[in-house]
Amino acid sequence: MSSKLIAPLSVATVVSVVGMTIAAIVGVTRNNGGTVVMESNNPSPQNIIINAAATDMATRGPPKATNPCDGAKIQLDNVQCAAAAINGQLNGQSGANVTKGYVGDLDVDVEPIDVPYYQRGLCPVNVHWHEGAEHLSVGEYDEMGTGPTGKAEAHRALAGEVREGFQCRYYDENDEMFTKPYEWKHCVGMKVGQTYEVHWPHSAAGACGTPNQYQTPFYDGVFCNLDMETLVTLTPQQIASAVGVQAQVFTIVNDETYYYPNLMRGMIVDGEKGTDIAYYTGSTTGTSRDNDKCSQYAPITWQVDRKCHKISASSFDQVCADMKSQRDDMSDDLYAHGSRVLVADEYAADNGFRL
């Protein structure tokens, strides 16, 4: 009587228990399920049958445990922009125009973080992206950009779809890198040829360096170690120095030449990527805000790459797999969120600058 050891192809380890050694391996065959079956003449019942085919190692997370950041979000309702501005209670909003030379009209007395966030003790607590760009960078992602849905001039959401922001100028319907379908395994509703603005919220109050660092919604990560009683004691500058977002805009292509791993960790800084940065203070974004309703989650630092870049679809699919492997459930960020309308000049901070 023989026993069988079954292991996934990617694992080259033969399992034995209590020091038992598999002897006399007499055959190796590949079955239709993609596993290696090794026959052994050792009749010991202590040899284990392993079938890990049902386990996706790429999305396997850490052991279940209490999430100290769950529900940490502090609720701050939107306000009427005009009224808050008149009362001197409005902080700058996002996403704004980040074209080189642009300066907003809202007078603010805070400064953004002008060095990499890790140098100030902030860590990324989430990654998510928006359909099209929420920021505007003329000549890079703007009204003249195109994609699978055409020009982004109206930026209006169709029934049942999220609102689309600005698009980059790379799209070419005659080049298959922008049109060839990609078989998505982890991300949801993504499109080759489409522009997406990726956001990496950072916080000094996150669960940095722990299995609970990444959270959905991102507010839980930002406020993980900060309560309302402490928040109200902080000055606007202290908040802008403790919370920030990196933003980078990409057009997805079906071309592995543009593959970058580990988008979880933050903005890509390589060559011209992540070098032409707009720094300013603003707010959280999303379609619940516009130029009538403004966010009170402000002021926070924004570091926005002014350039648009090509990136492979597989890069996005990999980060979605990484998100699935986090302790917190990040499934609500595996698809693109809608884009906010561009911030009006009167609600954009006047502290934007480039180092």
Side-chain angles (χ1 to χ4, degrees):
M1 178 178 178
S2 65
S3 60
K4 296 182 178 181
L5 299 177
I6 304 178
L9 287 174
S10 61
V11 179
T13 304
V14 177
V15 179
S16 69
V17 176
V18 195
M20 298 298 296
T21 303
I22 302 299
I25 300 295
V26 298
V28 179
T29 61
R30 188 187 308 274
N31 66 17
N32 291 332
T35 59
V36 172
V37 180
M38 295 171 284
E39 300 289 346
S40 169
N41 289 327
N42 189 334
S44 170
Q46 292 179 320
N47 292 320
I48 298 175
I49 298 175
I50 298 177
N51 186 357
T55 302
D56 186 348
M57 300 300 288
T59 60
R60 187 176 180 181
K64 297 292 184 181
T66 300
N67 178 4
C69 306
D70 186 38
K73 176 183 177 180
I74 296 175
Q75 185 64 44
L76 300 174
D77 295 333
N78 294 335
V79 296
Q80 292 298 313
C81 303
I86 291 173
N87 295 329
Q89 298 176 336
L90 184 69
N91 289 295
Q93 299 291 294
S94 300
N97 187 339
V98 293
T99 305
K100 186 176 180 180
Y102 173 83
V103 178
D105 291 340
L106 185 67
D107 184 24
V108 298
D109 59 0
V110 294
E111 295 296 336
I113 301 170
D114 58 7
V115 296
Y117 290 140
Y118 72 86
Q119 294 184 15
R120 296 293 175 85
L122 282 67
C123 69
V125 296
N126 172 274
V127 57
H128 66 273
W129 47 90
H130 296 261
E131 186 98 3
E134 293 195 296
H135 288 86
L136 169 67
S137 182
V138 175
E140 292 289 331
Y141 37 94
D142 56 21
E143 297 93 338
M144 300 304 294
T146 59
T149 57
K151 282 190 177 181
E153 292 170 326
H155 312 295
R156 294 187 181 277
L158 301 176
E161 296 184 1
V162 299
R163 182 186 180 279
E164 182 181 86
F166 300 106
Q167 297 195 67
C168 299
R169 297 188 176 194
Y170 287 125
Y171 184 76
D172 180 354
E173 63 181 6
N174 297 313
D175 189 334
E176 72 170 8
M177 80 159 61
F178 299 105
T179 59
K180 183 180 179 180
Y182 175 82
E183 184 180 348
W184 297 94
K185 297 179 178 64
H186 303 289
C187 297
V188 178
M190 305 288 285
K191 306 169 189 173
V192 171
Q194 179 62 32
T195 294
Y196 297 95
E197 179 171 320
V198 182
H199 291 170
W200 293 272
H202 285 61
S203 176
C208 301
T210 77
N212 302 301
Q213 179 171 324
Y214 288 88
Q215 298 285 319
T216 294
F218 69 84
Y219 297 97
D220 283 356
V222 169
F223 293 111
C224 186
N225 292 302
L226 181 68
D227 55 27
M228 177 62 88
E229 289 73 18
T230 304
L231 178 63
V232 297
T233 68
L234 301 178
T235 66
Q237 184 61 67
Q238 287 175 319
I239 295 171
S241 297
V243 181
V245 184
Q246 289 178 328
Q248 200 162 35
V249 178
F250 300 99
T251 294
I252 290 184
V253 296
N254 195 345
D255 186 337
E256 290 306 302
T257 304
Y258 298 94
Y259 177 75
Y260 275 88
N262 202 6
L263 285 179
M264 287 290 287
R265 65 187 176 190
M267 178 185 291
I268 298 172
V269 180
D270 182 41
E272 69 171 9
K273 297 178 179 66
T275 57
D276 187 4
I277 305 297
Y279 302 84
Y280 76 101
T281 58
S283 68
T284 52
T285 64
T287 53
S288 67
R289 288 102 189 190
D290 52 29
N291 290 318
D292 293 319
K293 295 176 292 184
C294 284
S295 172
Q296 288 197 86
Y297 293 101
I300 60 177
T301 292
W302 280 85
Q303 299 183 353
V304 185
D305 190 342
R306 289 190 173 100
K307 302 294 185 182
C308 179
H309 310 284
K310 299 172 189 172
I311 195 168
S312 72
S314 59
S315 301
F316 265 82
D317 221 20
Q318 179 61 58
V319 76
C320 287
D322 293 340
M323 292 163 72
K324 288 181 177 180
S325 72
Q326 301 306 304
R327 174 168 285 164
D328 193 37
D329 180 6
M330 298 189 73
S331 57
D332 284 344
D333 283 328
L334 296 177
Y335 55 87
H337 300 272
S339 287
R340 183 202 192 281
V341 298
L342 182 68
V343 171
D345 294 341
E346 59 264 36
Y347 305 137
D350 65 353
N351 60 4
F353 67 96
R354 177 183 182 276
L355 294 183

